[in-house]
Each structure stands twice: as structure tokens, then as C-alpha cells.
Amino acid sequence: MHDAQQVSLNFALAAVLLAAAATAQEQPQLVPGPQELAPAQIPQVAPEPVAATPAPQTTAPSPGEARVRAGIVLLGVLHDTLARIQNTESAEAAVPDIMRIARELQSWGQGFASLPPLDETTQSEYEKKYLPIINRINESIRIQAERVAAAEFYGSENLPAALIRLVNSVQ
């Protein structure tokens, strides 16, 4: 069996790598996919008075921003998956989900290569808008990973291997 503290440290490192990737000059490394943020996760904007100005055009996010949002959603899924682990049965049940998330992280990173690079202004805007969210989720992921590791993976022999694969997928 893998040393619980080492897996926990590696997993925390993976969460930090995800945050660091978001600030890298190239582009953030989040997961691809058509997923969008849930309405509660989208920042709310105060409505403009109807008589003062015409309603602003609603536009779809750019491909880069959509990818960042999809990555945030995937981080949330990872957090929720870890949070559901409370016993041996739930630990074993989480393994296929963690393996799927690891594959999606790999695909996501590769998917950014097809997008045009961000200009400095856009990158700065994304960092201000999304990096605090990514950091909060990563901290929550770290806490859940430490909890699961401290419980010695609830006796699951497959969970540590799945978490190591996840860590390796973001390195």
C-alpha cells in the first residue's frame, strides 16, 4: 500500500499545479468539454435600467474562457467526488470517477494547444476573474485529499492508485 502522507502531498501538489497552470504565460490548463458553469457559479451583474440604455448583447464566452470555466467545473466535480468518500464502499465507488477525471484533465491540457494564445490583457482579466475561484476549489480539494489520506483511504486498495494516476495526469 502507498504511504498515505506521500499520496496526500502529491495530491496537494497536483492542486497547486492546476492553479499555477492558470497563471502560466501560455494559457491556463483546465479540462476541455462542453460543460458550462452552473448558473449559481456565474458571477452576477446588476441589471441596467431599461430606460437608460438598451440591453447589452449577450455573447457566448470565448473558446479560451469557456475552457477555463469547464476546468473550474471539473475541479468542482473532483472536490465533490472526494467529499463523498466516507467509507470503504464510497472509496471504491469513487475510483472510476477519479480515473475519468484524470483522463479529462489530460485531454483538457491537450485541448488548449488548438486555441490561439491569449493577449496579456485578456489573460490578466481571466486571472483576476477566475484564479480566486480556482484557488478556493484547490484548497478545498487539498483538505479533502488530506482527510481521505488520513483515513488511510478508508481501506481501499484501488483509491491510492487512482489518486496517483490523477496526480500524474496534471504533472
Side-chain angles (χ1 to χ4, degrees):
M1 182 148 202
H2 302 281
D3 178 53
Q5 288 182 332
Q6 184 61 40
V7 171
S8 177
L9 290 174
N10 285 344
F11 198 72
L13 175 62
V16 170
L17 288 172
L18 287 172
T23 61
Q25 283 293 358
E26 293 164 330
Q27 286 190 23
Q29 297 287 316
L30 298 176
V31 180
Q35 304 151 326
E36 292 293 326
L37 287 175
Q41 295 172 305
I42 298 173
Q44 299 298 312
V45 178
E48 293 288 324
V50 176
T53 59
Q57 296 288 331
T58 54
T59 59
S62 71
E65 186 170 14
R67 190 155 309 263
V68 170
R69 288 180 178 193
I72 290 170
V73 170
L74 188 62
L75 289 176
V77 169
L78 174 59
H79 172 269
D80 293 349
T81 300
L82 292 172
R84 283 192 306 270
I85 300 172
Q86 301 293 325
N87 53 39
T88 304
E89 185 177 295
S90 60
E92 288 297 327
V95 170
D97 292 337
I98 291 170
M99 298 297 282
R100 178 187 49 78
I101 292 167
R103 287 188 304 273
E104 289 180 8
L105 281 169
Q106 286 178 325
S107 296
W108 177 83
Q110 295 165 352
F112 261 102
S114 66
L115 295 176
L118 295 175
D119 60 73
E120 287 185 35
T121 303
T122 303
Q123 181 174 330
S124 177
E125 177 185 314
Y126 289 176
E127 287 173 3
K128 287 177 188 171
K129 188 174 183 179
Y130 296 112
L131 194 55
I133 297 167
I134 293 167
N135 287 336
R136 279 194 308 268
I137 295 172
N138 281 342
E139 177 62 15
S140 295
I141 289 170
R142 184 191 62 76
I143 290 167
Q144 290 301 322
E146 287 177 358
R147 176 188 61 79
V148 169
E152 297 184 10
F153 308 99
Y154 294 93
S156 170
E157 293 185 21
N158 296 316
L159 184 57
L163 291 173
I164 287 171
R165 180 179 166 112
L166 176 70
V167 169
N168 290 336
S169 74
V170 297
Q171 291 181 346

